[in-house]
Coordinates of all heavy atoms in Angstrom, one line a residue:
D27 N -40.5 -85.1 -200.1 CA -40.9 -86.0 -201.2 C -41.5 -85.2 -202.4 O -41.2 -85.5 -203.5 CB -41.9 -87.0 -200.7 CG -41.3 -88.0 -199.8 OD1 -40.0 -88.0 -199.7 OD2 -41.9 -88.8 -199.1
Q28 N -42.4 -84.3 -202.1 CA -43.0 -83.5 -203.2 C -42.0 -82.7 -203.9 O -42.1 -82.5 -205.1 CB -44.1 -82.6 -202.5 CG -44.9 -81.8 -203.6 CD -45.6 -82.7 -204.5 OE1 -46.1 -83.7 -204.2 NE2 -45.7 -82.2 -205.8
L29 N -41.0 -82.1 -203.1 CA -40.0 -81.4 -203.7 C -39.2 -82.2 -204.8 O -39.0 -81.7 -205.9 CB -39.0 -80.8 -202.7 CG -37.8 -80.0 -203.1 CD1 -38.2 -78.7 -203.9 CD2 -36.8 -79.8 -202.0
V30 N -38.8 -83.4 -204.4 CA -38.1 -84.2 -205.2 C -38.9 -84.6 -206.5 O -38.4 -84.6 -207.6 CB -37.6 -85.4 -204.5 CG1 -36.9 -86.5 -205.5 CG2 -36.6 -85.1 -203.4
A31 N -40.2 -84.9 -206.3 CA -41.0 -85.4 -207.4 C -41.2 -84.2 -208.4 O -41.2 -84.4 -209.6 CB -42.3 -85.8 -206.8
T32 N -41.3 -83.0 -207.9 CA -41.4 -81.8 -208.7 C -40.2 -81.5 -209.4 O -40.2 -81.2 -210.6 CB -42.0 -80.6 -207.9 OG1 -43.1 -81.0 -207.1 CG2 -42.3 -79.5 -208.8
W33 N -39.1 -81.7 -208.7 CA -37.8 -81.4 -209.3 C -37.6 -82.3 -210.5 O -37.0 -81.9 -211.6 CB -36.7 -81.6 -208.3 CG -35.3 -81.4 -208.8 CD1 -34.9 -80.6 -209.8 CD2 -34.1 -81.9 -208.2 NE1 -33.5 -80.6 -209.8 CE2 -33.0 -81.5 -208.9 CE3 -33.9 -82.9 -207.1 CZ2 -31.7 -81.8 -208.6 CZ3 -32.6 -83.3 -206.8 CH2 -31.5 -82.8 -207.6
R34 N -38.0 -83.5 -210.5 CA -37.8 -84.5 -211.6 C -38.5 -84.1 -212.8 O -38.2 -84.5 -214.0 CB -38.3 -85.9 -211.2 CG -37.4 -86.5 -210.2 CD -38.0 -87.8 -209.7 NE -37.1 -88.5 -208.7 CZ -37.5 -89.5 -207.9 NH1 -38.7 -90.0 -208.0 NH2 -36.7 -90.1 -207.1
L35 N -39.4 -83.2 -212.8 CA -40.2 -82.7 -214.0 C -39.6 -81.4 -214.6 O -40.2 -80.9 -215.5 CB -41.7 -82.5 -213.5 CG -42.4 -83.7 -213.0 CD1 -43.8 -83.2 -212.5 CD2 -42.5 -84.8 -214.0
T36 N -38.4 -81.0 -214.0 CA -37.9 -79.7 -214.5 C -36.5 -80.1 -215.1 O -35.9 -81.1 -214.9 CB -37.8 -78.7 -213.5 OG1 -36.8 -79.1 -212.5 CG2 -39.1 -78.5 -212.7
A37 N -35.9 -79.0 -215.6 CA -34.5 -79.0 -216.1 C -33.5 -78.3 -215.1 O -32.4 -78.1 -215.4 CB -34.3 -78.4 -217.5
V38 N -34.0 -78.1 -213.9 CA -33.2 -77.4 -212.9 C -32.1 -78.2 -212.5 O -32.3 -79.5 -212.1 CB -34.1 -77.0 -211.7 CG1 -33.3 -76.4 -210.6 CG2 -35.1 -75.9 -212.2
T39 N -30.9 -77.7 -212.3 CA -29.8 -78.6 -211.9 C -29.8 -78.7 -210.3 O -30.5 -77.9 -209.7 CB -28.4 -77.9 -212.3 OG1 -28.2 -76.7 -211.6 CG2 -28.4 -77.7 -213.8
S40 N -28.9 -79.6 -209.8 CA -28.9 -79.8 -208.4 C -28.3 -78.5 -207.7 O -28.8 -78.1 -206.7 CB -28.0 -81.0 -208.1 OG -26.7 -80.9 -208.6
G41 N -27.4 -78.0 -208.3 CA -26.8 -76.7 -207.8 C -27.8 -75.6 -207.8 O -27.9 -74.8 -206.8
E42 N -28.6 -75.4 -208.8 CA -29.6 -74.4 -208.9 C -30.7 -74.7 -207.8 O -31.0 -73.7 -207.1 CB -30.2 -74.4 -210.3 CG -29.3 -73.8 -211.4 CD -29.8 -74.0 -212.7 OE1 -30.7 -74.9 -213.0 OE2 -29.4 -73.4 -213.6
L43 N -31.1 -75.9 -207.7 CA -32.2 -76.2 -206.7 C -31.6 -75.9 -205.3 O -32.3 -75.3 -204.4 CB -32.6 -77.5 -206.8 CG -33.6 -78.1 -205.7 CD1 -34.9 -77.2 -205.8 CD2 -34.0 -79.5 -206.0
A44 N -30.4 -76.3 -205.0 CA -29.9 -76.0 -203.7 C -29.8 -74.5 -203.4 O -30.1 -74.1 -202.3 CB -28.4 -76.6 -203.6
S45 N -29.4 -73.8 -204.4 CA -29.3 -72.3 -204.1 C -30.8 -71.7 -204.0 O -30.9 -70.8 -203.2 CB -28.6 -71.6 -205.4 OG -27.3 -72.0 -205.4
M46 N -31.7 -72.2 -204.7 CA -33.0 -71.8 -204.5 C -33.6 -72.0 -203.2 O -34.3 -71.2 -202.6 CB -34.0 -72.4 -205.6 CG -33.7 -72.0 -207.1 SD -34.4 -73.0 -208.3 CE -36.1 -72.6 -208.2
L47 N -33.3 -73.2 -202.6 CA -33.7 -73.5 -201.3 C -33.1 -72.6 -200.3 O -33.8 -72.2 -199.3 CB -33.4 -75.0 -200.9 CG -34.2 -76.1 -201.5 CD1 -33.5 -77.4 -201.5 CD2 -35.5 -76.1 -200.8
L48 N -31.8 -72.3 -200.3 CA -31.2 -71.4 -199.5 C -31.7 -70.0 -199.6 O -31.9 -69.4 -198.5 CB -29.7 -71.4 -199.8 CG -28.9 -72.8 -199.5 CD1 -27.4 -72.6 -200.0 CD2 -29.0 -73.1 -198.0
V49 N -32.0 -69.5 -200.7 CA -32.5 -68.1 -200.9 C -33.9 -68.1 -200.3 O -34.2 -67.2 -199.5 CB -32.6 -67.8 -202.4 CG1 -33.4 -66.4 -202.5 CG2 -31.2 -67.6 -202.9
A50 N -34.8 -69.1 -200.5 CA -36.1 -69.1 -199.9 C -36.1 -69.1 -198.4 O -36.8 -68.4 -197.8 CB -36.9 -70.4 -200.5
S51 N -35.2 -69.9 -197.9 CA -35.1 -70.0 -196.4 C -34.6 -68.7 -195.9 O -35.2 -68.2 -194.8 CB -34.1 -71.1 -196.0 OG -34.1 -71.2 -194.6
H52 N -33.7 -68.0 -196.5 CA -33.1 -66.8 -196.0 C -34.1 -65.7 -196.0 O -34.3 -64.9 -195.1 CB -31.9 -66.4 -196.8 CG -31.3 -65.0 -196.4 ND1 -30.6 -64.9 -195.3 CD2 -31.4 -63.8 -197.1 CE1 -30.2 -63.7 -195.2 NE2 -30.6 -63.0 -196.3
V53 N -34.9 -65.6 -197.2 CA -35.9 -64.6 -197.3 C -37.0 -64.7 -196.2 O -37.4 -63.7 -195.6 CB -36.5 -64.6 -198.7 CG1 -37.7 -63.7 -198.8 CG2 -35.4 -64.1 -199.7

């Protein structure tokens, strides 16, 4: 829920956020 709420305050696209999540998990 916090991720979604924070996302709404940025200009990050859905594709960019998905990629960021995958990279963070992998690292």
Side-chain angles (χ1 to χ4, degrees):
D27 288 344
Q28 182 62 36
L29 174 66
V30 173
T32 307
W33 180 26
R34 289 173 178 166
L35 302 176
T36 73
V38 172
T39 67
S40 58
E42 289 170 341
L43 179 58
S45 296
M46 292 165 74
L47 281 165
L48 293 172
V49 170
S51 180
H52 178 73
V53 170

